[in-house]
Amino acid sequence: MSRSVASQLIVMARWPAPGRCKRRLASSLGAEAAARVQARLTGHTLALALQLARQLGIELVLAVDGLAPRAARRLGDQLGVGRIVLQGRGGLGVRMQRQFQRAATERARRVVLIGSDLPQLERADLASAFAALDHQQAVLGPACDGGYWLIGLRRPEPALMEGIAWGSEQVLEQTLAALARRGLEPALLPWRRDLDRGEDLGPWR
């Protein structure tokens, strides 16, 4: 029997091990420092996500990369996250698509997916995303680098991740076009800046 949940908040995160995360940041800070930054960012994101999940009765799913299944379960226990899944192989779009496909199989009616690279993230941002899905089919959190830091869908559409030039400055534009082709006009959250490179540390500090 398949699961059936009303709403899911999916946090995509990499295991914060030196050399296995934040490679662009590591090129200027070093692998050890970049891993520490990743750990801080992941902790910040999950703290807010856990608060919101308890407040709104949303299922929190941590989708982790860089760990075997048993180690991933231990990580979930350590972080207080009840459900942890593996991102699996492939590029970012494929891994995101996999999470939306899983949510669709579980018949989730509202799905919000975020990364763990946003120092400015606030609980109100996450609450606003779910509130937006009460009235619109999609919601996006645009990022200053041309991508987005959050995507939410009232009905999970895994195919939306196809044909996007991931890692480029066209991600947001191409995603908006893909939504428009499906007749979906997303709500837009405030612009935010991801922490990917050394120069991105200034505002955070």
Side-chain angles (χ1 to χ4, degrees):
M1 181 178 296
S2 62
R3 296 168 63 98
S4 180
V5 295
S7 302
Q8 286 188 3
L9 172 58
I10 304 168
V11 176
M12 302 275 285
R14 286 186 180 272
W15 171 240
R20 301 177 69 178
C21 65
K22 287 290 180 195
R23 290 184 174 86
R24 284 179 291 181
L25 188 61
S27 66
S28 56
L29 294 186
E32 294 280 351
R36 289 195 296 270
V37 170
Q38 178 70 72
R40 287 276 302 277
L41 288 170
T42 301
H44 170 66
T45 303
L46 285 175
L48 298 179
L50 283 164
Q51 291 173 14
L52 187 80
R54 296 188 188 108
Q55 176 186 347
L56 299 183
I58 293 167
E59 182 179 31
L60 173 61
V61 180
L62 175 60
V64 68
D65 181 51
L67 287 176
R70 185 175 297 178
R73 287 193 295 271
R74 288 198 299 268
L75 176 65
D77 292 340
Q78 293 169 9
L79 297 174
V81 179
R83 188 173 184 203
I84 188 164
V85 299
L86 302 183
Q87 292 184 21
R89 296 180 180 274
L92 177 60
V94 172
R95 288 180 279 122
M96 292 173 63
Q97 185 180 41
R98 187 175 290 123
Q99 293 306 312
F100 276 110
Q101 183 63 60
R102 177 191 51 72
T105 301
E106 295 169 3
R107 295 180 291 172
R109 293 193 297 273
R110 294 185 304 171
V111 180
V112 170
L113 183 148
I114 58 172
S116 54
D117 300 320
L118 199 71
Q120 295 175 299
L121 182 69
E122 300 177 3
R123 185 173 61 176
D125 294 321
L126 302 176
S128 295
F130 280 102
L133 292 178
D134 287 335
H135 309 286
Q136 292 182 255
Q137 294 290 332
V139 58
L140 285 171
C144 297
D145 63 0
Y148 54 79
W149 52 270
L150 176 149
I151 181 169
L153 297 169
R154 190 187 298 182
R155 186 185 67 226
E157 293 200 30
L160 190 66
M161 308 294 115
E162 296 175 356
I164 305 296
W166 298 103
S168 74
E169 297 179 353
Q170 285 78 49
V171 171
L172 177 63
E173 179 182 351
Q174 292 175 351
T175 302
L176 288 170
L179 288 167
R181 288 193 296 271
R182 292 165 170 80
L184 305 178
E185 182 178 354
L188 294 180
L189 300 178
W191 289 76
R192 296 279 189 261
R193 183 179 298 279
D194 290 333
L195 202 165
D196 290 321
R197 300 175 175 84
E199 56 265 31
D200 298 332
L201 281 167
W204 192 25
R205 286 171 170 163

